[in-house]
């Protein structure tokens, strides 16, 4: 079971959460979000996937932030189309190929471009409430690495409420997904139960239920959550 802690905002708090060694840390690049990130990401273990969360953003801006913050994953939380994702992946691949070629010509390592060992992962988010038509996912199967299912609400994530997880029993694909939406300490038993099902759940995504304020996480509660889930 993988764990993603999303909505990080403050340098010291980011470092404290990173010390817990989650699999993913999420940074929201969306001005309308209370957790909009504009700061500095401190150095932490390369085993943690730095994830940028975007909502209907221009591809050029996404690419720029991927390079600036050395992001390992992109989470698309808007209404991004299949064509948008295809174009995004093409530009990422082109930039990667260009950087690799340029690095071959740069003798001093300190002057080389940063290039992630792996290609940037693409996570596409879909909101669920009481029901969901999984047919809408079909066109995305070949262009994303993961889906993420969150609670459909007023905000683009971070609503602090759960959707009816029984809806996922009708999920018809093998594509792995992140489970999100108001998950807290009180949900440990239910989380274990759904992870023991045959659903291809790849990771949990937690956020607002572990906050002192938007963007600042409760370290002790995160520790307890990880301990209880054994992740």
């Amino acid at each position: 079971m993988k764990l993603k802690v999303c909505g990080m905002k403050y340098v010291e708090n980011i470092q404290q959460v990173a010390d817990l060694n989650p699999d993913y840390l999420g940074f929201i690049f969306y001005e309308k979000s209370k957790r909009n990130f504009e700061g500095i990401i401190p150095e932490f273990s390369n085993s943690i996937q730095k994830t940028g969360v975007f909502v209907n953003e221009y591809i050029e801006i996404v690419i720029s932030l991927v390079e600036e913050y050395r992001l390992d994953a992109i989470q698309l939380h808007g209404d991004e189309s299949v064509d948008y994702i295809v174009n995004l992946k093409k530009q990422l691949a082109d930039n990667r190929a260009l950087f690799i070629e340029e690095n071959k010509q740069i003798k001093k390592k300190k002057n080389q471009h940063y290039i992630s060992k792996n290609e940037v992962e693409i996570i596409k988010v879909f909101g669920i409430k009481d029901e969901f038509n999984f047919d809408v996912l079909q066109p995305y199967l070949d262009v994303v690495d993961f889906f993420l299912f969150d609670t459909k609400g007023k905000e683009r994530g971070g609503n602090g409420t759960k959707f009816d997880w029984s809806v996922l029993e009708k999920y018809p694909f093998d594509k792995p997904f992140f489970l999100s939406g108001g998950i807290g300490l009180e949900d440990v038993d239910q989380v274990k139960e759904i992870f023991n099902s045959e659903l291809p759940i790849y990771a949990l995504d937690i956020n607002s239920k572990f906050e002192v304020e938007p963007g600042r996480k409760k370290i002790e509660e995160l520790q307890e959550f990880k301990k209880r889930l054994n992740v």
Side-chain angles (χ1 to χ4, degrees):
M1 186 191 304
K2 304 286 187 181
L3 181 66
K4 175 173 173 281
V5 182
C6 199
M8 303 307 304
K9 192 169 182 179
Y10 303 101
V11 173
E12 183 179 353
N13 193 236
I14 293 168
Q15 191 63 67
Q16 291 173 324
V17 175
D19 288 343
L20 299 179
N21 203 34
D23 300 284
Y24 292 78
L25 275 181
F27 301 88
I28 298 172
F29 298 99
Y30 181 52
E31 290 183 357
K32 294 181 180 180
S33 172
K34 292 175 287 189
R35 302 170 184 85
N36 183 48
F37 184 79
E38 297 178 315
I40 297 170
I41 299 179
E43 293 292 327
F44 49 71
S45 171
N46 290 332
S47 66
I48 301 173
Q49 302 281 86
K50 279 185 282 189
T51 306
V53 181
F54 301 93
V55 180
N56 301 324
E57 187 56 90
Y58 290 111
I59 286 178
E60 292 75 15
I61 293 177
V62 175
I63 297 289
S64 174
L65 290 170
V66 166
E67 294 174 2
E68 179 180 351
Y69 288 103
R70 301 182 176 184
L71 300 179
D72 303 294
I74 295 170
Q75 181 174 314
L76 300 172
H77 222 296
D79 308 302
E80 296 87 2
S81 66
V82 171
D83 285 345
Y84 174 99
I85 297 173
V86 169
N87 288 332
L88 172 61
K89 290 180 71 174
K90 183 180 185 305
Q91 290 194 39
L92 285 169
D94 288 348
N95 280 18
R96 182 179 173 82
L98 178 62
F99 284 1
I100 290 173
E101 187 59 35
E102 288 180 350
N103 278 354
K104 290 178 182 178
Q105 301 170 22
I106 299 174
K107 293 182 179 179
K108 291 186 179 180
K109 201 167 186 178
K110 66 178 182 179
N111 294 329
Q112 292 184 339
H113 299 291
Y114 166 78
I115 302 172
S116 175
K117 290 181 180 178
N118 303 306
E119 293 182 2
V120 178
E121 294 178 353
I122 305 293
I123 305 165
K124 181 68 185 83
V125 179
F126 290 89
I128 297 178
K129 198 169 184 181
D130 300 320
E131 56 184 27
F132 187 75
N133 178 14
F134 289 105
D135 290 344
V136 302
L137 306 180
Q138 183 76 48
Y140 291 87
L141 289 173
D142 293 333
V143 297
V144 303
D145 296 287
F146 306 100
F147 293 124
L148 185 151
F149 298 125
D150 196 3
T151 305
K152 194 172 185 178
K154 292 181 180 179
E155 304 290 336
R156 295 278 188 168
N159 288 286
T161 56
K162 289 194 295 294
F163 64 90
D164 182 359
W165 291 355
S166 67
V167 173
L168 297 174
E169 293 173 5
K170 298 180 180 178
Y171 182 70
F173 307 113
D174 295 326
K175 179 72 67 177
F177 62 84
F178 287 66
L179 179 62
S180 186
I183 299 171
L185 269 173
E186 68 278 8
D187 299 307
V188 168
D189 289 341
Q190 191 178 359
V191 166
K192 286 182 177 179
E193 187 176 324
I194 194 167
F195 262 86
N196 287 329
S197 71
E198 294 184 0
L199 289 167
I201 302 176
Y202 177 74
L204 289 181
D205 182 297
I206 57 178
N207 188 349
S208 59
K209 285 286 188 173
F210 291 88
E211 288 186 329
V212 180
E213 61 177 296
R216 194 183 300 278
K217 302 300 187 280
K218 299 176 182 178
I219 304 305
E220 290 184 1
E221 289 193 12
L222 283 173
Q223 284 178 318
E224 181 64 20
F225 188 71
K226 279 176 61 66
K227 180 181 177 181
R228 292 191 195 178
L229 286 175
N230 193 28
V231 296

